[in-house]
Amino acid sequence: MEWLNAVIQGVLLGGLYALFAAGLSLIFGVMRLVNIAHGDLIVLAAYLGLTTSVALGLHPLLALVLVAPALAAIGFLLQIGILNRTLGNDILPPLLVTFGLSVILQNALLEIYTADPQKMDAGALETASVSLGGISLGVLPLLTFAVAVAIVGALQWVFYNTALGRAFRATSDNQDIAQLMGLNKAHVYGYAMALALAVTAVAGIFLGIRTSFDPAIGGSRLIFGFEAVIIGGLGNLWGTLAGGVILGVAQTVGAKIDPGWQLLAGHIVFLLILAVRPSGLFPKVTG
Amino acid sequence: MPDPILQIAGLDARYGDFQALYGVDMTLAEGDVLAIIGANGAGKTTLMRSIAGLIRNGADEIKFRNVPIGALRADQVARRGIALVPEGRQLFPSLSVEENLLIGGRSGRQGPWSLKRVYSLFPILEERKRQPSTSLSGGQQQMVAIGRALMANPDLILFDEISLGLAPIVIRDIYRALPGIVSQGMSAVIVEQDITKALSISSRVYCLQEGRVSLEGASTTVSREDISRAYFGIE
Ligand SMILES: Nc1ncnc2c1ncn2[C@@H]1O[C@H](COP(=O)(O)OP(=O)(O)OP(=O)(O)O)[C@@H](O)[C@H]1O
Ligand SMILES: [Mg+2]
């Protein structure tokens, strides 16, 4: 029973990791950009959530109504203003620029909010739980997982059922020919980054409700996100969700064996999967 | 003579240090079909990509309805009403047949062409509309590429190697459809290796040789000897 409990807690934790990873997966899929600053953008979202919920007396989840559009706007401007200029045949410039952005974000957050750990107050939601067949499940992890599934489903729907999704896929297939269709590549990428950062806002708020955070934790969130994306297979959003779940389960089961093993177990499972299936478990099938 | 829809003057196109076009001059009258012939590597595709904005040049080197477009991006050129059927079809592999057509029409320009019309021109595409575009035969893919360009309701349509790699019967079908396509108020530039076909479909013909215009004339009056001389550069 205890093991089953560990697995179920791991699945739910995987929901949070999928939220970290979904934005990464989306922008890699559309523009082959690896965003090193992704983890710091998650932390930025958590701080913006903290500030808005404290200043306006809002529940942190309600603060999303403001934080998600704010991050989307930041994403669009960041893409149009900076990142589009770095995209080309060379993969180094976007890596360097997003690494620089990561350093800037961390230092700016440190300057504004100090290094003291912060946490968002979500009231009763943090401790509420339901009991299911003898296993006690936190309402917050359940909600996080449900939101992750809903977001991956929604992104998938946008990708395959809307004109915007068609533009994303066409631009990802062939930028030049997509331009011939009248698509402005710079804007298409801007919308993709806006959407990715809106999802990042959700990830940041759930992170900030669940655990305390400080300006330096972005790096490890980036790693979890990366691992989930790569375990699931690049360019496959449902795969990313599965990757998050696998990572979460590896961590909770590892912690069950020995509390010090939580992170190590996650990395080991990631490396094992990478060794056996270098393109991930569910790589996007291309024709 | 009606006003020109397209005027090219002194067009030099480069790939890095390599110059592919030298001072190309070309005029296309509204409603006309112009054929471009020339040996492999003569610069035909470069010329088409330059008009479409995939290669950017001096603004005044290409004018569309007297407006300089030579320096515009491809998406800006497309929105002004120029569509390219690119060499090698270049469909979007992640998109179904119907999605490839729909994305062609995304600019929302008004005109006679719609999904329904494209499907009545190429009925096989309607049967296959849900399939990935990569699952079609080469000829069927060419139909999608043509349909995708038509969906934009362009005023000027550019065909780069419309018949390359296609079975004679498919080529015949496509050429039968062409006059109907062009008579809808569209002007066209057609790159065609088959000289007989090129002359039969067009009113004017240009021959490119090593990046320069080596011959220009009315399709009905140019002689075969002139063409072979212009084509191969034999004096
Ligand atoms: N991307 C490129 N980079 C460098 N040089 C190029 C590039 N594309 C074409 N060229 C060169 O430009 C010249 C013209 O090429 P282009 O493709 O326009 O010829 P073409 O007339 O379309 O030939 P074909 O009949 O084989 O399609 C050739 O010498 C070719 O080698
Ligand atoms: Mg060519």
Side-chain angles (χ1 to χ4, degrees), chain A residues 55-74:
Chain A
L56 305 176
L58 288 175
H59 189 276
L61 288 181
L62 262 182
L64 261 181
V65 178
L66 295 171
V67 178
L71 259 100
I74 291 173

Side-chain angles (χ1 to χ4, degrees), chain B residues 15-16 18-21 38-47 49 87 160-161 164 191 193 208:
Chain B
Y15 297 102
F18 178 78
Q19 185 162 355
L21 294 179
N40 294 126
K44 306 180 295 296
T45 296
T46 306
L47 176 58
R49 292 173 64 88
E87 186 173 37
D160 194 353
E161 306 270 353
L164 189 75
V191 168
Q193 300 269 16
L208 286 182

